[in-house]
Amino acid sequence: MALRCGIVGLPNVGKSTLFNALSSAGAESANYPFCTIEPNVGVVSVPDPRLERLGQLAHSARIVPATIEFVDIAGLVAGASKGEGLGNQFLAHIREVDAIVHVVRCFANENVVHVTGSVDPARDIEIIHTELLLKDLETLEKRIDRTQKLAKSGEKKIREELAFYERLQEHLSAGKPARALKFDAEEQAWFDSLFLLTVKPVLYAANVAEEDLPDGGEYVDVVRRIAAEEGAKVIVVSAELEAQIAELEEDERRAFLKELGIEHSGLDRLIRAAYDLLGLITFFTAGPKEARAWTIHRGTKAPEAAGVIHSDFERGFIRAETIKFHDYDRLGSEAAARDMGLMRSEGRDYVVEDGDVMLFRFNV
């Protein structure tokens, strides 16, 4: 699954520094707006200690983690929805991602220019929020104009569609994101056809100074309050520190984090939170050749999960032989789990759970 998270925010909030730490794509980081003109894409492994353990137990020749893509999108500014600061290009890039990681500057540093002149998380969040809303309203207005012309025919279905768009317009005009609108299954197709920006789920990354770790200071409290009102999550990171940590070897990294009193790096928490934000879970396959993590949406049934590996597996699905990871880990092998009656044979209606170790049986 090609899962993409767009990293957005105002210029000079630490987006590219965070992206550089996340991946080896090497996005340029400079102390002025618009140093990132084209979006940079980095493919990042989803940290999961279960996979390493599974590879050891199955004596796998290689380990293949699940991945997620992060797209470093250049900084938005007020007026972006009208093209300010190359805004139209950047907003188009946001349209192509599955979720938004909104980096908010929560540190004061006179050596790093702030595009609006001062550090104010609430104002900065509102600028981005407003620009995305304005772009969605522009999209919606065009659709309403077209639908109004069609509605003159008097066809009931078109009138219902127009009424839905007008209700959505009222919702957006009140400053509410599209993702907060309630609608029925019949309206889903109309909603999806708009490809709105504010439908994307949002994760806030509060970028703090190293001395404000792990919980952040008063600026982060502002971000938490706003996120709570939206039902969003907040991750506290220090992009500069994460960039330094990313350059260390694994053993050095663990020792450094321990010295700081931090269990997991900000990047690990960010990747994991982005993964969870999209409603994703992991199942595993394991054998002598490889141990691999596979990404699926929560609620996926066994045949669809098999199809993630290969379409032939889904077409010819017979059953899924499944072991819970904790049972595999506790007993030490697939054979031991089978002998203990903990390898279950599941059919087409089985809903895959996070951590399932699976072997699919299928007809060619």
Side-chain angles (χ1 to χ4, degrees):
M1 298 175 68
L3 303 162
R4 308 185 104 203
C5 288
I7 302 177
V8 307
L10 295 179
N12 296 343
V13 297
K15 293 185 290 61
S16 293
T17 302
L18 188 62
F19 176 82
N20 287 339
L22 276 165
S23 73
S24 58
E28 180 186 2
S29 179
N31 186 22
Y32 54 87
F34 315 123
C35 62
T36 311
I37 302 302
E38 293 300 324
N40 295 274
V41 180
V43 180
V44 182
S45 298
V46 177
D48 195 328
R50 297 175 300 180
L51 180 62
E52 294 292 333
R53 174 63 175 160
L54 194 59
Q56 293 171 1
L57 296 174
H59 307 290
S60 304
R62 66 175 186 151
I63 305 292
V64 185
T67 59
I68 189 167
E69 289 185 5
F70 283 92
V71 184
D72 181 26
I73 299 172
L76 296 173
V77 294
S81 59
K82 302 300 180 185
E84 291 294 325
L86 304 179
N88 287 329
Q89 286 184 42
F90 304 156
L91 289 164
H93 294 147
I94 293 172
R95 204 179 298 279
E96 296 169 1
V97 302
D98 300 299
I100 293 171
V101 177
H102 185 166
V103 181
V104 183
R105 180 168 168 174
C106 293
F107 66 91
N109 185 335
E110 61 184 18
N111 296 318
V112 180
V113 176
H114 193 291
V115 71
T116 56
S118 63
V119 179
D120 185 339
R123 178 204 57 212
D124 294 354
I125 289 171
E126 183 62 24
I127 289 172
I128 300 297
H129 180 67
T130 298
E131 293 307 318
L132 297 183
L133 275 174
L134 288 173
K135 196 64 179 178
D136 280 354
L137 280 167
E138 179 185 307
T139 298
L140 190 55
E141 284 165 7
K142 291 177 182 177
R143 178 64 63 88
I144 287 173
D145 286 344
R146 191 163 76 240
T147 310
Q148 282 175 335
K149 293 172 184 175
L150 294 172
K152 290 177 181 177
S153 68
E155 188 178 332
K156 181 183 176 183
K157 209 50 150 175
I158 297 177
R159 291 201 311 273
E160 290 175 351
E161 183 177 355
L162 177 61
F164 169 74
Y165 293 144
E166 290 173 341
R167 179 161 66 88
L168 176 56
Q169 184 182 45
E170 184 179 347
H171 175 88
L172 295 175
S173 297
K176 301 173 184 175
R179 61 183 173 273
L181 182 73
K182 305 296 183 185
F183 50 85
D184 60 35
E186 189 177 24
E187 295 167 330
Q188 182 78 52
W190 300 329
F191 183 79
D192 291 344
S193 71
L194 292 164
F195 298 102
L196 299 176
L197 301 176
T198 61
V199 75
K200 314 284 184 185
V202 175
L203 170 68
Y204 288 104
N207 186 17
V208 303
E210 180 180 341
E211 57 267 25
D212 289 327
L213 290 171
D215 297 323
E218 59 182 349
Y219 290 138
V220 178
D221 291 338
V222 174
V223 180
R224 288 195 180 103
R225 175 179 55 76
I226 294 170
E229 292 171 358
E230 298 177 1
K233 289 187 177 181
V234 179
I235 297 294
V236 179
V237 296
S238 171
E240 285 289 347
L241 179 64
E242 294 298 334
Q244 296 171 34
I245 293 173
E247 295 177 358
L248 300 175
E249 296 295 329
E250 184 62 33
D251 289 344
E252 294 176 314
R253 187 179 301 136
R254 279 197 295 266
F256 187 51
L257 289 172
K258 186 176 181 180
E259 186 179 323
L260 291 172
I262 300 172
E263 186 176 357
H264 300 289
S265 75
L267 296 187
D268 282 356
R269 289 184 290 110
L270 175 62
I271 294 166
R272 194 71 247 177
Y275 199 72
D276 292 342
L277 181 68
L278 292 167
L280 307 174
I281 62 171
T282 300
F283 75 88
F284 304 104
T285 54
K289 289 186 178 180
E290 68 176 28
R292 183 186 287 255
W294 301 90
T295 300
I296 56 173
H297 287 281
R298 193 176 301 280
T300 298
K301 292 185 177 181
E304 297 169 81
V308 172
I309 300 175
H310 198 288
S311 57
D312 286 349
F313 286 23
E314 182 173 5
R315 279 195 296 268
F317 179 87
I318 300 173
R319 67 181 182 277
E321 296 177 359
T322 307
I323 306 169
K324 297 299 178 190
F325 170 78
H326 59 81
D327 289 330
Y328 201 121
D329 181 33
R330 178 170 55 87
L331 296 171
S333 70
E334 178 183 310
R338 185 188 301 110
D339 291 344
M340 292 292 291
L342 294 172
M343 174 180 267
R344 307 179 319 280
S345 182
E346 304 287 3
R348 291 184 167 276
D349 292 331
Y350 176 67
V351 177
V352 179
E353 297 181 0
D354 186 61
D356 280 351
V357 184
M358 309 189 79
L359 174 64
F360 295 103
R361 301 295 185 185
F362 64 101
N363 287 319
V364 178

